């Protein structure tokens, strides 16, 4: 697998991407669960989002990860619009598995049927204004493994039809990820990875199966940006203000968990060494963790896009810095 400071390969697919991807969840704007719980990151400025994507392109970012459910279709539409004539210069990853109502911006449930897979792909192609998806990902993290094996086989059909180039599963379960890994055109696993939440079993699977490790929550949902302080509540339309069980590090209606902020503070001097910002140091840890990692931090502004992309030039942490991190965290 070829890797350089600025580029990585999506596993055995041979598809080359920038070592940093951009995650497009936040730019989807506000959307909700059936009971009214926020699933987005609050209000967004679409024009600023478009400028941020285009700035990322200028700075060498060629990998963009979205999902049909983000903003109930809005993130895909925005990404397609922002990329425009640059579609051939980038690699697009999106996801399927959720059912939603675009009019009410509500996620209504999940559908793990092969029929829904094909329907969802057709809709994503239309919203993204493209004739193929480079990496298509199952977005039901706890899907039944036998059912997932069927979906993997449908993905193989879609590769042969030219509608997708490769596929992956977005899951934190190594056993489930291994089911998709058996498919010849499976190229990656998307999973949570950041300096506070390591994932050794999934990284081992990626190494064994020649898969890329696409890393969501690389900045721990913003805790590793240095912008959160204890007791500062978030927007009521922000998922972190009413965090679901899978989202640790935040306290309902309160903001960041002080215990998590203490761990960030303990790591600050290492992560901000060599002229990095805190966020850039957190990304540098991920690159040093494995040559297969591709972090996909979220963004909402041009400034955030520039800061994240700026991490590329500084590269990974050193072996000594990595050892210091483990010592501080007591791992």
């Amino acid at each position: 697998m070829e890797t350089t400071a600025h580029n990585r390969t999506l596993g055995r697919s041979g598809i080359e991407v920038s070592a940093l991807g951009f995650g497009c969840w936040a730019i989807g704007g506000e959307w909700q669960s059936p009971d009214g719980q926020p699933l987005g990151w609050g209000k967004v400025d679409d024009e600023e989002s478009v400028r941020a994507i285009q700035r990322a392109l200028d700075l060498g970012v060629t990998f963009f990860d979205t999902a049909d459910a983000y903003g109930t279709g809005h993130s895909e539409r925005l990404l397609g619009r922002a990329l425009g004539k640059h579609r051939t210069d980038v690699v697009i990853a999106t996801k399927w598995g959720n059912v939603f109502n675009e009019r009410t911006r509500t996620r209504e449930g999940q559908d793990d049927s092969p029929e829904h897979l094909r329907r969802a792909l057709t809709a994503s192609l239309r919203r993204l204004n493209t004739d193929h998806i480079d990496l298509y990902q199952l977005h039901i993290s706890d899907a039944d493994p036998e059912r997932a094996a069927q979906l993997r086989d449908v993905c193989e059909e879609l590769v042969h039809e030219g509608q997708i180039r490769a596929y992956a599963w977005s899951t934190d379960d190594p056993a489930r990820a291994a089911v998709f890994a058996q498919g010849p055109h499976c190229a990656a696993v998307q999973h949570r990875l950041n300096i506070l939440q390591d994932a050794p079993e999934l990284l081992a699977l990626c190494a064994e199966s020649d898969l890329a490790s696409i890393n969501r929550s690389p900045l721990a949902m913003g805790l590793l940006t240095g912008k959160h302080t204890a007791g500062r509540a978030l927007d009521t339309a922000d998922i972190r203000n009413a965090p679901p069980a899978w989202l640790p590090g935040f306290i309902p209606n309160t903001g960041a968990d002080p215990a998590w902020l203490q761990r960030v503070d303990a790591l600050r001097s290492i992560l901000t060494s060599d002229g990095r910002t805190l966020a850039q140091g957190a990304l540098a840890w991920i690159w040093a963790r494995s040559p297969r990692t591709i972090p996909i931090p979220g963004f909402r502004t041009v400034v955030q896009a520039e800061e994240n992309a700026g991490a590329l030039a500084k590269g990974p942490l050193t072996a000594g810095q990595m050892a210091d991190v483990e010592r501080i965290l007591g791992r």
Side-chain angles (χ1 to χ4, degrees):
M1 187 183 73
E2 182 189 351
T3 63
T4 67
H6 296 280
N7 293 298
R8 304 231 157 160
T9 304
L10 282 180
R12 54 200 183 212
S13 71
I15 299 171
E16 190 172 288
V17 298
S18 50
L20 178 76
F22 268 39
C24 300
W25 177 12
I27 64 169
E30 295 179 72
W31 54 299
Q32 62 187 1
S33 65
D35 60 358
Q37 291 297 308
L39 294 174
W41 292 56
K43 288 184 171 56
V44 288
D45 176 342
D46 286 350
E47 299 313 310
E48 179 72 2
S49 299
V50 168
R51 286 191 292 271
I53 291 167
Q54 292 170 344
R55 183 67 180 131
L57 284 169
D58 293 342
L59 295 169
V61 175
T62 62
F63 183 53
F64 293 87
D65 175 89
T66 185
D68 58 359
Y70 294 163
T72 60
H74 190 64
S75 175
E76 286 187 332
R77 291 184 197 283
L78 210 56
L79 182 60
R81 180 183 138 203
L83 293 175
K85 66 180 187 298
H86 294 288
R87 168 64 183 103
T88 54
D89 304 328
V90 302
V91 173
I92 293 177
T94 193
K95 311 179 193 75
W96 90 93
N98 287 291
V99 180
F100 50 86
N101 184 317
E102 287 198 48
R103 186 180 54 79
T104 62
R105 295 188 78 119
T106 303
R107 175 187 175 273
E108 296 181 333
Q110 295 176 322
D111 189 337
D112 66 357
S113 70
E115 295 76 21
H116 176 72
L117 193 174
R118 286 185 172 272
R119 280 196 305 271
L121 175 61
T122 299
S124 285
L125 291 170
R126 186 181 68 247
R127 284 189 291 262
L128 285 160
N129 193 28
T130 185
D131 62 358
H132 71 280
I133 302 296
D134 299 294
L135 185 70
Y136 203 37
Q137 303 163 103
L138 176 58
H139 205 187
I140 307 175
S141 61
D142 59 352
D144 176 76
E146 288 185 21
R147 190 68 154 178
Q150 288 182 305
L151 298 175
R152 178 196 67 208
D153 294 343
V154 176
C155 284
E156 285 292 330
E157 294 171 14
L158 293 169
V159 172
H160 292 299
E161 292 167 18
Q163 297 199 68
I164 67 175
R165 295 172 70 192
Y167 57 88
W169 193 342
S170 178
T171 181
D172 292 320
D173 179 8
R176 283 181 164 83
V179 172
F180 258 41
Q182 292 167 17
H185 291 90
C186 180
V189 182
Q190 181 167 146
H191 64 92
R192 181 174 62 199
L193 180 70
N194 60 62
I195 196 169
L196 302 174
Q197 297 168 294
D198 200 0
E201 289 181 30
L202 280 158
L203 291 173
L205 173 71
C206 289
E208 290 160 13
S209 302
D210 192 12
L211 302 175
S213 161
I214 299 172
N215 313 124
R216 55 182 150 75
S217 298
L219 303 179
M221 303 289 279
L223 292 174
L224 290 162
T225 63
K227 298 183 180 109
H228 290 270
T229 53
R232 185 173 69 85
L234 295 152
D235 187 322
T236 54
D238 189 323
I239 189 170
R240 297 169 296 181
N241 190 59
W246 55 263
L247 204 174
F250 293 89
I251 300 172
N253 305 307
T254 305
D257 184 332
W260 284 63
L261 291 176
Q262 283 177 353
R263 293 159 73 203
V264 174
D265 279 339
L267 296 165
R268 189 178 301 270
S269 63
I270 296 173
L271 297 184
T272 57
S273 60
D274 307 315
R276 294 182 177 94
T277 66
L278 188 64
Q280 289 171 345
L283 297 171
W285 180 87
I286 290 177
W287 288 320
R289 185 66 184 82
S290 162
R292 297 178 175 275
T293 53
I294 306 166
I296 50 168
F299 65 99
R300 281 190 279 190
T301 65
V302 170
V303 170
Q304 288 171 336
E306 290 174 339
E307 181 180 0
N308 291 342
L312 282 166
K314 299 181 186 300
L317 294 184
T318 65
Q321 289 168 328
M322 293 295 281
D324 287 342
V325 166
E326 295 306 297
R327 180 178 51 74
I328 289 168
L329 293 176
R331 290 199 291 230

